[in-house]
Amino acid sequence: MPVLNADQILQRSEILRQKVSPCVLCPRQCRALRLQGEKGFCGMTDAAVLSDCLAHFGEEPPISGSGGSGTVFLSGCNAACLFCQNYQISRLRMGRTVSSTELAEEFLKLQDQGCVNINWVTPTPHLPFLVEALALAVACGLRLPVVYNTNGYDSVEILRLLSGVVDVYLPDMKYGENRWAESFSQMPGYVEISFEAVREMLRQVGPLELDSAGTARRGVLIRHLVLPEDTASSRLVFQRIAQLGRIPVSIMAQYKPCFEARKHPVLNRGLYPFEYREALKAFEQAGLSAGYIQDLKSLDVQDSYFPDFSKDAGDIFGQT
Ligand code: SF4
């Protein structure tokens, strides 16, 4: 559960609200006047837009835990990945506008269902509203850890406001070269920005810590999705992560062409098994040893709405 109490969390939400219009919540710094109805790159204005809330059992084992991760899927995104598997909500922005009170009720319902955490997916554009809802929920008895599940395109200044609010950070480090980050995801400067963001996350909560049941309690777990033709530059990503220390990494094999990637000359196919094996080799050669991999059967997974970590996606490197 958050270190801060409900009043302190509410204060953070008020500071975050000052960052939303003109909007500087993410490194894109659109400066859209969102509280006056203007949309920024992410398509969001003056309230959170919720796509779905559910107990999710397909995340990495310490995130799903025994009761499922209380996943809060939010609409819109500050990136524009050609291959986004959640494109209906990130790019087509399916969802309904919700008040902070409604969001707080959703968090409490997930706790009542037995979920092991509250997992905000793509939270950055919605932060003032999510944090306000968290304050309301904590005041009403929410005791679960908060997971910040992000693409890694986050600014250090905003992340500092989440210190004591977020317990577990689940950032992507998607790319090792900015040319691919720009052409596939429209994220200029991603390599340096995500590196500094993860450094700040580590400063706040350290590497992933598990409780006695093996469930994430606090800390950082980095995700990396291997892409066709090594366009994620996985080796460079792992070398950078190694500079940050012994941080657990979830290396994902589940890439498949979704949305605009279906027509792309490089991205229009799934991974070959050797591409994933090369990435695993690069991981070990970078001196990293802790993490989670996906079974290669993930390469055959058909279109699905959620990430599908197969049940035997093992911790081959040993528990972190
Ligand atoms: S959160 Fe959205 S509106 Fe705000 S700076 Fe980022 S992309 Fe622009």
Side-chain angles (χ1 to χ4, degrees):
M1 59 183 285
V3 173
L4 300 183
N5 64 34
D7 287 342
Q8 292 166 323
I9 296 171
L10 193 60
Q11 282 170 12
R12 295 292 177 87
S13 78
E14 284 159 7
I15 299 171
L16 286 162
R17 187 175 277 272
Q18 291 164 16
K19 310 281 182 190
V20 84
S21 203
C23 189
V24 292
L25 283 178
C26 86
R28 199 172 291 283
Q29 306 241 328
C30 299
R31 305 192 71 80
L33 298 173
R34 289 177 50 180
L35 297 181
Q36 295 172 32
E38 201 173 300
K39 288 182 181 170
F41 180 93
C42 59
M44 294 299 110
T45 57
D46 60 349
V49 181
L50 179 66
S51 171
D52 209 352
C53 282
L54 48 87
H56 186 4
F57 291 87
E59 302 273 34
E60 292 85 344
I63 304 298
S64 288
S66 57
S69 181
T71 310
V72 179
F73 284 97
L74 296 146
S75 296
C77 188
N78 61 341
C81 300
L82 297 176
F83 49 83
C84 183
Q85 64 185 1
N86 292 339
Y87 67 92
Q88 295 101 327
I89 56 178
S90 65
R91 302 290 299 282
L92 306 182
R93 297 169 191 155
M94 291 164 61
R96 64 189 169 95
T97 300
V98 284
S99 68
S100 296
T101 309
E102 287 172 293
L103 266 179
E105 282 171 7
E106 296 291 347
F107 300 167
L108 291 165
K109 270 192 233 164
L110 291 167
Q111 177 169 266
D112 290 346
Q113 286 170 31
C115 292
V116 297
N117 51 48
I118 300 297
N119 181 349
W120 296 341
V121 182
T122 320
T124 310
H126 307 268
L127 268 176
F129 321 114
L130 286 170
V131 175
E132 183 181 31
L134 181 67
L136 297 173
V138 167
C140 292
L142 185 78
R143 293 293 176 265
L144 297 179
V146 171
V147 179
Y148 193 83
N149 186 339
T150 172
N151 56 31
Y153 205 46
D154 288 283
S155 80
V156 170
E157 182 200 351
I158 298 298
L159 288 172
R160 283 196 184 124
L161 294 169
L162 302 180
S163 180
V165 174
V166 169
D167 300 283
V168 177
Y169 284 102
L170 199 53
D172 291 333
M173 285 183 82
K174 286 179 178 294
Y175 297 102
E177 294 179 83
N178 281 326
R179 60 184 171 135
W180 300 120
E182 286 182 34
S183 66
F184 290 175
S185 299
Q186 292 187 48
M187 293 193 287
Y190 178 83
V191 172
E192 295 76 20
I193 285 169
S194 60
F195 183 83
E196 291 305 323
V198 172
R199 195 206 296 271
E200 170 59 21
M201 294 171 189
L202 283 166
R203 188 192 67 75
Q204 290 179 25
V205 294
L208 194 68
E209 290 173 22
L210 310 183
D211 64 16
S212 56
T215 306
R217 198 172 62 84
R218 176 183 168 85
V220 178
L221 171 62
I222 297 171
R223 281 178 164 170
H224 176 71
L225 176 67
V226 182
L227 292 179
E229 294 191 23
D230 193 29
T231 43
S233 312
S234 301
R235 181 176 301 276
L236 293 176
V237 171
F238 298 144
Q239 287 170 351
R240 286 202 178 87
I241 293 172
Q243 291 171 28
L244 292 167
R246 190 175 179 275
I247 318 302
V249 183
S250 172
I251 308 170
M252 299 185 291
Q254 68 195 37
Y255 177 81
K256 57 188 180 298
C258 296
F259 197 41
E260 292 158 328
R262 293 189 179 116
K263 296 182 198 146
H264 192 279
V266 172
L267 296 172
N268 66 355
R269 64 165 173 85
L271 282 190
Y272 296 131
F274 84 86
E275 291 175 307
Y276 189 60
R277 289 194 197 98
E278 284 296 312
L280 296 183
K281 210 188 296 171
F283 180 79
E284 290 181 295
Q285 287 170 347
L288 296 167
S289 59
Y292 300 87
I293 66 162
Q294 283 186 301
D295 193 291
L296 285 172
K297 281 184 292 212
S298 303
L299 299 174
D300 298 325
V301 170
Q302 296 302 305
D303 280 357
S304 63
Y305 181 60
F306 304 116
D308 181 23
F309 286 85
S310 63
K311 62 178 177 355
D312 48 357
D315 176 2
I316 59 160
F317 301 112
Q319 199 58 268
T320 56

